Amino acid sequence: MTASPRHRRRISDLMATALVALGLTTLQGGTPAAAQPLGDPTAAQALSTVARFQGVWNSPPTDLANGETVDAPLLGNGDVGVAVGGSVDDQTFYLGKNDFFSTATNGIEPLGRIVLSVPGLAGSDYHVVQDIAQAQVEGTYTLAGEQLSSTSWVSATRNLFVTTLRLSGSRPQQATVTVQDGLGRTPATSSENGVLDADVQAGTTDAPGNPHARIATSVRGTAASVSGNRISLTLRPGVTYTVAAAVQSSHDTPRYRSAAHAAATALTGGSLAGLYAAHESWWREYWSRSFVQIPDQAVEKSWYGSLYLLGSVSRAGKYAPGLWGNWITGAMNWYGDYHANYNYEAAFYPALSTNHIAQMGSYDDPILDWIPRGRAKAAAAGYQGVLYPVGLSPNGTSAADDLYNQKSDAVNFASDMVMKYEYTRSASYARKVLPYLEQVGLFWQHYLTWDAATGTYTIENDAPQEGGVYPQTNSILSLGLVHLLFQGLIDMSKDLHINDSLVPTWQHIDKNLAPLPTMSRNGQTVFRQTSEGSGRVTDGNDVAIQAVYPGLQVGLNDSADLLRTAQNTVAQLDNWHSDNSPATLYAAAAMVGYNPSTLMDELHAEATAYSYPNMAVHHYGGGIENLNVTTSGLDEMLLQSYQHDIKVFPNWPANSNAKFGGLLAYDNFLVSSSIRNNAVEYVRITGRSGRNLTFTNPWPGNAMEYYVDGVHKGTLSGTTIKLHTTVGETIDLAPAGTSRATVQHELSQPAQSAATASLTTGFETGQTQPTWTDTVDNADTHGDGNYGVTGLCCGLTGPQAAVRTGEQAHTGDASLMYSGYANGGLYDHAYLQVYGFNGAPLTVRRDTTLSYWIFPQSDATTPWVDAGSDNSTCVAVDLVFTDGSALRDSGATDQSGNGIHPARQCGHLTPDTWNHVTVGLGAVEAGQAVAKVLLGFDRSGATGGYRGYVDDVSIG
């Protein structure tokens, strides 16, 4: 849900007022991202698109101390992170920092807390907005005519946290700002010149090298008194106050105490103005690099939200974020380490295709720092090269030094390095990581076993999952990653003209690794986890498909049989929303051409049922790895290039208009494109490294116009096109007869939404049939689509919504039958999916009406409903809109004034006859777009069966 225009204007006015009160100059926007071609509207479209999305809370967050992803409003600058908890009488800003790993435990520790308390406003209405475009959190707290407004941000360029406060109303309010250590205790403090200095350390036990930090806090706008760890002040109506806290750790500088104090002391209106301008400029440049525009606004919001969290959690030159990023509120699960299975790696994958490579700048450091220990660990086990454990921590340490019978940890770490090189073709980056990759390659070169009988290299005694019992031969995960490793080593070495003696060996290994293991299951060929050992393990992992992603060994250029095996594997895994799969499964499914409508539906569920208001996708055990769920999942539907063949919209739902700009493809090409009415409108490709370009013709069988830097170069034709490019060259491609001016116009326009004009169906043959049958909607109900409702009878496993013929019909011969059995639960309900619009939502106009006929049954017409029960009347057609909201919660009423929520229909429908229900949608939902049609039963405490029919549904 986004804030209303009125509210957003008010917050904007608040910020402007605050800046004026501080003597700040007019804010200037940053420049668009570098290296975008002249006339490219990517930056403008990106900025206008991201501005639509916000996180909203109307009550304080509740998941703050569970040791994993928090549900609070979030801020960060890639080093310092802030999670905002509590209401205004006890609002706690939890401070975390990526370098705050205790040397006693090698685990991440919370750094500190700043508690803002305005006790006179206890019980206030709570409204908080996470504005991702501006990278700030805006709060409004109202009580009996008194209102406090706040704006909080973490400077993008300095380790400084700022909160601006402004009170309106008739009387002043007393306030305190209390500084605590990371566990909520009183730290050692001192004060000078109005600055409260609090000194904290990582963890409860000090040890050599243990990080310490200072939080230097001051208040601007009033005279404030400092006592112990508390600042006291009086907030007066109409006056703006600024709380600022500078944070420095002993890893930042040995002079962290004086540096933090000096930073807080030096703050003035002018310096804060400069910092805010730099903050705004940094985020403007960040957002300007790429954009996507798709019909499903929940998925689009999740894409931008994931990028906001990525930009908040990682920066070059800083310590890398661990499992939970820099939002550290207490003791974090798994020490918050750099976990090698896929967790650490997946958090950085989204930087690749989204063209945010800079956010990978810290990734390599903990891995390269561990090389000496990796070599020692390998030597101690009798191997060459390096051997890495599952859990690294900074500066050559480890939080979990076990192998768990796996040899894949080091090569898993290598995946990001190889991908980054293939995307960027940066020679300097290759030189940086080659020493590590060569050591990993040395391990595998000598660890692999040559099987002369099959002519293949096999991998022995390597478990695909932690703790797999030997024997475990040819782990499909390791096969994919070892292929990727040697492909990267070969490409880097050839480009740098080195390792000539090693390349033939690496090529032989890559060419002759054992095939990906398969098995037969449910009559289909699927991938198996090993050739000997683990087969199919139903534990919520997607190991069986990880040779596709992140291994990148199967794609749309492969054989139909191989793709079918991969698609079967995805379908039979069915792990869309498990604890361990989403970070890699969606990208893998897109890469092998899995049903794109299903993919979009499941991504929608991730963006709604499995996401917090702060836009963090959350599953148990999965932290910032889930930044990769929507980003790479969606990007691989829009653009694929990992087989060095650029494909636009390679796996996109039919009848779904979409557009993207500035996405990054292999070989350092920036790509923009648009699809409308199932036809690609144009493709723009900008080469940043002068590589040879290969792309698949997006207009199969037809020629295309070919422009280079705005100059027409003729036409191109063929299935696969190969071109030589130069650095900075921009190529525009479009259907034959399309002018360059038309391309430029299409580039500058936002995506035009495909829309279903109306829905009219009586469920008869030849009419629009339901998208789903007997399918509970957990996607749009936050996993709560069915509570307490089972099958009506006869061995049915759940509630029903399915087309029946020859039973009851208002017109014709067919209708939609519904049924279920309520078991007396406090919240008994069942919402079943009926229609989905697959990217072409139905637009609600001011005159749009929902109309349907419903025949609720009693015991007079069915034996499965108890005598005297009117349960069957507690049913209504429900709509889910593209923003995730639902008709049932809108307050809309039917023609008789009864709420259209299924529970509000109870007793208002006449059993055993056809009732006509109409709802004027335009009066309450004009401007919305319908994504799904549901059929809902809802009756708290209901007991017994319900059954009936719906017919002649119309929306238009």
Short mmCIF file of all heavy atoms in Angstrom, two decimals, residues 43-72:
data_model
loop_
_atom_site.label_atom_id
_atom_site.label_comp_id
_atom_site.label_asym_id
_atom_site.label_seq_id
_atom_site.Cartn_x
_atom_site.Cartn_y
_atom_site.Cartn_z
N ALA A 43 17.29 6.78 -16.75
CA ALA A 43 17.31 7.43 -15.44
C ALA A 43 15.96 8.05 -15.11
O ALA A 43 15.43 7.87 -14.00
CB ALA A 43 18.41 8.50 -15.39
N ALA A 44 15.38 8.77 -16.06
CA ALA A 44 14.11 9.44 -15.80
C ALA A 44 13.01 8.42 -15.50
O ALA A 44 12.21 8.60 -14.57
CB ALA A 44 13.72 10.31 -17.00
N GLN A 45 12.96 7.35 -16.27
CA GLN A 45 11.91 6.36 -16.03
C GLN A 45 12.15 5.60 -14.73
O GLN A 45 11.20 5.27 -14.01
CB GLN A 45 11.84 5.39 -17.21
CG GLN A 45 11.40 6.09 -18.49
CD GLN A 45 10.58 5.19 -19.39
OE1 GLN A 45 9.88 4.30 -18.93
NE2 GLN A 45 10.67 5.43 -20.68
N ALA A 46 13.41 5.33 -14.43
CA ALA A 46 13.71 4.65 -13.18
C ALA A 46 13.28 5.47 -11.98
O ALA A 46 12.65 4.96 -11.04
CB ALA A 46 15.21 4.33 -13.11
N LEU A 47 13.60 6.75 -11.99
CA LEU A 47 13.28 7.61 -10.86
C LEU A 47 11.78 7.80 -10.70
O LEU A 47 11.25 7.81 -9.57
CB LEU A 47 13.97 8.96 -11.02
CG LEU A 47 15.50 8.93 -10.88
CD1 LEU A 47 16.11 10.25 -11.32
CD2 LEU A 47 15.91 8.61 -9.45
N SER A 48 11.06 7.95 -11.80
CA SER A 48 9.61 8.12 -11.69
C SER A 48 8.93 6.84 -11.24
O SER A 48 7.91 6.87 -10.55
CB SER A 48 9.03 8.59 -13.02
OG SER A 48 9.22 7.61 -14.04
N THR A 49 9.50 5.68 -11.61
CA THR A 49 8.89 4.42 -11.24
C THR A 49 9.11 4.10 -9.77
O THR A 49 8.17 3.75 -9.04
CB THR A 49 9.44 3.27 -12.11
OG1 THR A 49 9.26 3.59 -13.48
CG2 THR A 49 8.71 1.97 -11.81
N VAL A 50 10.34 4.22 -9.29
CA VAL A 50 10.62 3.86 -7.90
C VAL A 50 9.88 4.77 -6.93
O VAL A 50 9.54 4.36 -5.81
CB VAL A 50 12.14 3.89 -7.62
CG1 VAL A 50 12.69 5.32 -7.63
CG2 VAL A 50 12.45 3.22 -6.29
N ALA A 51 9.59 5.99 -7.34
CA ALA A 51 8.90 6.93 -6.45
C ALA A 51 7.50 6.47 -6.08
O ALA A 51 6.91 6.98 -5.12
CB ALA A 51 8.84 8.31 -7.10
N ARG A 52 6.97 5.48 -6.79
CA ARG A 52 5.61 5.01 -6.50
C ARG A 52 5.55 4.06 -5.31
O ARG A 52 4.46 3.79 -4.79
CB ARG A 52 5.03 4.28 -7.72
CG ARG A 52 4.94 5.11 -8.98
CD ARG A 52 3.88 4.53 -9.91
NE ARG A 52 4.08 3.12 -10.15
CZ ARG A 52 4.72 2.62 -11.20
NH1 ARG A 52 5.26 3.44 -12.09
NH2 ARG A 52 4.83 1.31 -11.38
N PHE A 53 6.69 3.55 -4.88
CA PHE A 53 6.65 2.44 -3.94
C PHE A 53 7.16 2.83 -2.55
O PHE A 53 8.23 3.43 -2.41
CB PHE A 53 7.48 1.28 -4.48
CG PHE A 53 6.98 0.78 -5.80
CD1 PHE A 53 7.78 0.82 -6.93
CD2 PHE A 53 5.68 0.30 -5.93
CE1 PHE A 53 7.31 0.37 -8.15
CE2 PHE A 53 5.20 -0.14 -7.15
CZ PHE A 53 6.02 -0.11 -8.26
N GLN A 54 6.40 2.46 -1.57
CA GLN A 54 6.74 2.73 -0.18
C GLN A 54 6.30 1.55 0.69
O GLN A 54 5.39 0.80 0.32
CB GLN A 54 6.02 3.98 0.33
CG GLN A 54 6.36 5.25 -0.42
CD GLN A 54 5.52 6.42 0.07
OE1 GLN A 54 4.36 6.27 0.42
NE2 GLN A 54 6.13 7.60 0.12
N GLY A 55 6.94 1.41 1.83
CA GLY A 55 6.44 0.50 2.85
C GLY A 55 5.63 1.30 3.85
O GLY A 55 5.99 2.43 4.18
N VAL A 56 4.54 0.74 4.33
CA VAL A 56 3.65 1.47 5.23
C VAL A 56 3.32 0.61 6.44
O VAL A 56 3.01 -0.58 6.30
CB VAL A 56 2.34 1.89 4.50
CG1 VAL A 56 1.40 2.60 5.46
CG2 VAL A 56 2.66 2.77 3.31
N TRP A 57 3.36 1.22 7.63
CA TRP A 57 2.97 0.58 8.88
C TRP A 57 1.92 1.45 9.56
O TRP A 57 2.10 2.67 9.68
CB TRP A 57 4.16 0.45 9.84
CG TRP A 57 5.22 -0.52 9.46
CD1 TRP A 57 5.44 -1.75 9.99
CD2 TRP A 57 6.25 -0.33 8.47
NE1 TRP A 57 6.54 -2.34 9.40
CE2 TRP A 57 7.05 -1.50 8.46
CE3 TRP A 57 6.57 0.71 7.59
CZ2 TRP A 57 8.13 -1.65 7.62
CZ3 TRP A 57 7.65 0.56 6.74
CH2 TRP A 57 8.42 -0.62 6.77
N ASN A 58 0.86 0.83 10.04
CA ASN A 58 -0.13 1.53 10.86
C ASN A 58 -0.14 1.01 12.29
O ASN A 58 -1.02 1.35 13.07
CB ASN A 58 -1.51 1.44 10.22
CG ASN A 58 -1.60 2.28 8.96
OD1 ASN A 58 -1.21 3.45 8.96
ND2 ASN A 58 -2.08 1.69 7.88
N SER A 59 0.83 0.18 12.60
CA SER A 59 1.08 -0.27 13.97
C SER A 59 2.56 -0.63 14.04
O SER A 59 3.18 -0.95 13.02
CB SER A 59 0.21 -1.47 14.34
OG SER A 59 0.46 -2.55 13.47
N PRO A 60 3.14 -0.57 15.23
CA PRO A 60 4.57 -0.83 15.34
C PRO A 60 4.93 -2.25 14.91
O PRO A 60 4.13 -3.17 15.03
CB PRO A 60 4.86 -0.61 16.83
CG PRO A 60 3.75 0.26 17.31
CD PRO A 60 2.55 -0.14 16.52
N PRO A 61 6.14 -2.44 14.39
CA PRO A 61 6.59 -3.79 14.02
C PRO A 61 6.69 -4.69 15.24
O PRO A 61 6.83 -4.22 16.37
CB PRO A 61 7.97 -3.54 13.39
CG PRO A 61 8.42 -2.24 13.97
CD PRO A 61 7.19 -1.42 14.17
N THR A 62 6.61 -6.00 14.99
CA THR A 62 6.59 -6.96 16.11
C THR A 62 7.74 -7.95 16.09
O THR A 62 8.07 -8.52 17.12
CB THR A 62 5.27 -7.74 16.10
OG1 THR A 62 5.11 -8.40 14.84
CG2 THR A 62 4.09 -6.81 16.34
N ASP A 63 8.34 -8.20 14.91
CA ASP A 63 9.43 -9.19 14.81
C ASP A 63 10.77 -8.46 14.82
O ASP A 63 11.33 -8.14 13.77
CB ASP A 63 9.28 -10.02 13.54
CG ASP A 63 8.09 -10.93 13.58
OD1 ASP A 63 7.74 -11.36 14.69
OD2 ASP A 63 7.50 -11.21 12.52
N LEU A 64 11.27 -8.21 16.02
CA LEU A 64 12.50 -7.43 16.16
C LEU A 64 13.61 -8.18 16.86
O LEU A 64 14.76 -7.75 16.80
CB LEU A 64 12.20 -6.14 16.93
CG LEU A 64 11.43 -5.08 16.15
CD1 LEU A 64 10.79 -4.08 17.10
CD2 LEU A 64 12.37 -4.36 15.18
N ALA A 65 13.31 -9.27 17.52
CA ALA A 65 14.33 -9.93 18.33
C ALA A 65 14.32 -11.43 18.12
O ALA A 65 14.55 -12.20 19.04
CB ALA A 65 14.10 -9.62 19.81
N ASN A 66 14.05 -11.86 16.86
CA ASN A 66 13.99 -13.29 16.59
C ASN A 66 15.28 -13.83 16.00
O ASN A 66 15.35 -14.98 15.58
CB ASN A 66 12.83 -13.60 15.65
CG ASN A 66 12.90 -12.81 14.36
OD1 ASN A 66 13.88 -12.11 14.10
ND2 ASN A 66 11.87 -12.92 13.53
N GLY A 67 16.32 -12.99 15.92
CA GLY A 67 17.60 -13.45 15.42
C GLY A 67 17.70 -13.56 13.92
O GLY A 67 18.66 -14.13 13.39
N GLU A 68 16.73 -13.01 13.20
CA GLU A 68 16.79 -13.07 11.74
C GLU A 68 16.18 -11.82 11.14
O GLU A 68 16.31 -10.73 11.71
CB GLU A 68 16.12 -14.34 11.24
CG GLU A 68 14.70 -14.55 11.71
CD GLU A 68 14.09 -15.80 11.07
OE1 GLU A 68 14.40 -16.91 11.51
OE2 GLU A 68 13.31 -15.62 10.11
N THR A 69 15.53 -11.93 9.98
CA THR A 69 14.99 -10.77 9.29
C THR A 69 13.93 -10.09 10.15
O THR A 69 13.01 -10.74 10.64
CB THR A 69 14.37 -11.19 7.95
OG1 THR A 69 15.34 -11.88 7.17
CG2 THR A 69 13.89 -9.97 7.17
N VAL A 70 14.06 -8.78 10.32
CA VAL A 70 13.10 -8.04 11.12
C VAL A 70 12.04 -7.43 10.22
O VAL A 70 12.25 -7.24 9.02
CB VAL A 70 13.80 -6.93 11.94
CG1 VAL A 70 14.81 -7.53 12.90
CG2 VAL A 70 14.49 -5.92 11.02
N ASP A 71 10.87 -7.11 10.81
CA ASP A 71 9.77 -6.55 10.03
C ASP A 71 9.67 -5.04 10.18
O ASP A 71 8.64 -4.45 9.87
CB ASP A 71 8.44 -7.21 10.43
CG ASP A 71 8.04 -6.92 11.88
OD1 ASP A 71 8.91 -6.49 12.66
OD2 ASP A 71 6.86 -7.13 12.22
N ALA A 72 10.73 -4.41 10.66
CA ALA A 72 10.72 -2.98 10.96
C ALA A 72 11.07 -2.14 9.74
O ALA A 72 11.66 -2.63 8.78
CB ALA A 72 11.73 -2.70 12.08
#
